[in-house]
Amino acid sequence: MKIDKIGIFLVKMELKHPFRTSFGVTKERDVLLVSLHSGDKTGWGECVAEHGPWYSEETITSCKHTITEYIIPWIKKAKFDHPKEFPSIVQKIKGNHMAKACVEDAIWDLYGKLEEKTLRELIKGEKKTIPSGISLGIQQDFETLLKKIQNAIEQKYKRIKIKIEPGWDVEIVRKIRDKYSDLPLMVDANSAYRLKDEDVFLALDKYDLMMIEQPLQSYDIMDHVKLQKKLSTPLCLDESIKSVDDARVAIEYDACKIINVKPARVGGITETLKIHELADLLKIPLWCGGMLETGIGRAKNVAVASLSTFTLPNDISESARYYTNYLIDPIFELTENGTLDVPSKLPGIGVSIKNEAIERNLKEKLEL
Ligand code: OSB
Ligand code: MG
């Protein structure tokens, strides 16, 4: 693949509502976008890192540094024909998965455009529509959460995930279950607890949750093993799984029964495909997580969620959920069945990029 020109864009995206998790509140995101140009074709990637190192070690500033100082100069020098060769080009860079994934995404998109194939076709995703779930942040009070749940049910989201933290957990779930006894419901702690807090999870175990996501610290695999043994509710790991090897260890030791795959967390689409193969072999259900992506990252996630092992509802909501400034056309809209259509008309990620929407909120632009 011949890359003639590379663009880096830092775009300010204001969220419609603050999104609160156990590790902090997000009101706006500075989104880093990478564009790779070959002839008249352009591939796009979105970096999902946050402002601070709360969800993982990476930040938007560390990603910009790693991308501009290392990844871009290295891919400019390298000769490669297929996006699957990208991980070997950047192999010497330890970690920095979100930085790598952003550039790898742009390479896949560009490759799709050059080959005139959709990303779903390139990765052999089987589904043409994907089930959509919604992730609801921690709210100021239960009434506000209840309204958001009611709206999500009316919109036909296939499952509701609520964020939990100490003080906003068992009682909240009990009150939701009082009102909605059969609602497909799950919780995500973003590592807010330790094994000594197991009583919280023993209590949650009674509420027929689909799963409990990332209750303990990301490095506490053995503590997740101990906790899973005491629960009938499946544990799902998010932050703990940074590679196919992490997935193999977690599954082998029974630290979880389900994996939330975020392609950016594991370093890109190529590593995601390895986790898909492992999950297929071991019959582990997957779903695609989200990081408050704009349409660019969302379109990539939708294609990934079309893989056959991604059987559970994904944290991929419709475009209107977080932002009003749409970077893509067409936007993703929830169908009456609570699904999103996997783009099939345009190659690559299957959506057009609206340059004027990027320009509107541009904070910085680099050409490399
Ligand atoms: O843990 O899944 C998470 C958002 C930011 C950081 C971490 C997480 C989340 C979400 C939102 O839950 C998922 C989404 O709708 O994009
Ligand atoms: Mg999570």
Side-chain angles (χ1 to χ4, degrees), residues 191-238:
S191 301
Y193 302 85
R194 305 303 297 252
L195 193 59
K196 67 173 167 50
D197 305 312
E198 66 174 36
D199 286 353
V200 169
F201 301 102
L202 293 171
L204 286 175
D205 209 23
K206 300 192 183 84
Y207 293 104
D208 192 27
L209 298 174
M210 294 168 80
M211 68 195 88
I212 297 172
E213 182 178 344
Q214 197 69 45
L216 313 177
Q217 305 298 297
S218 59
Y219 44 80
D220 279 344
I221 291 295
M222 293 321 279
D223 282 355
H224 282 101
V225 173
K226 290 179 192 164
L227 184 59
Q228 180 67 88
K229 275 200 177 70
K230 298 190 179 182
L231 301 177
S232 49
T233 309
L235 292 185
C236 166
L237 290 178
D238 172 352

Side-chain angles (χ1 to χ4, degrees), residues 257-273:
K257 305 204 179 287
I258 298 168
I259 296 176
N260 161 351
V261 179
K262 291 179 182 169
R265 192 193 63 228
V266 302
I269 294 172
T270 305
E271 191 73 9
T272 298
L273 294 174

Side-chain angles (χ1 to χ4, degrees), residues 19 21 23 26 48 50 55 133-136 161 163 188-190 213-214 238-239 260 262 265 287-293 298 301 314-317 321-322:
F19 188 80
T21 65
F23 59 76
T26 308
V48 302
E50 293 173 296
Y55 169 82
I134 192 168
S135 173
L136 298 176
K161 152 168 148 182
K163 295 286 189 180
D188 183 2
N190 288 110
E213 182 178 344
Q214 197 69 45
D238 172 352
E239 284 91 326
N260 161 351
K262 291 179 182 169
R265 192 193 63 228
W287 54 278
C288 183
M291 290 293 292
L292 314 176
E293 282 89 348
R298 185 179 306 276
N301 285 346
N314 305 282
D315 268 354
I316 312 178
S317 45
R321 162 99 174 98
Y322 293 119

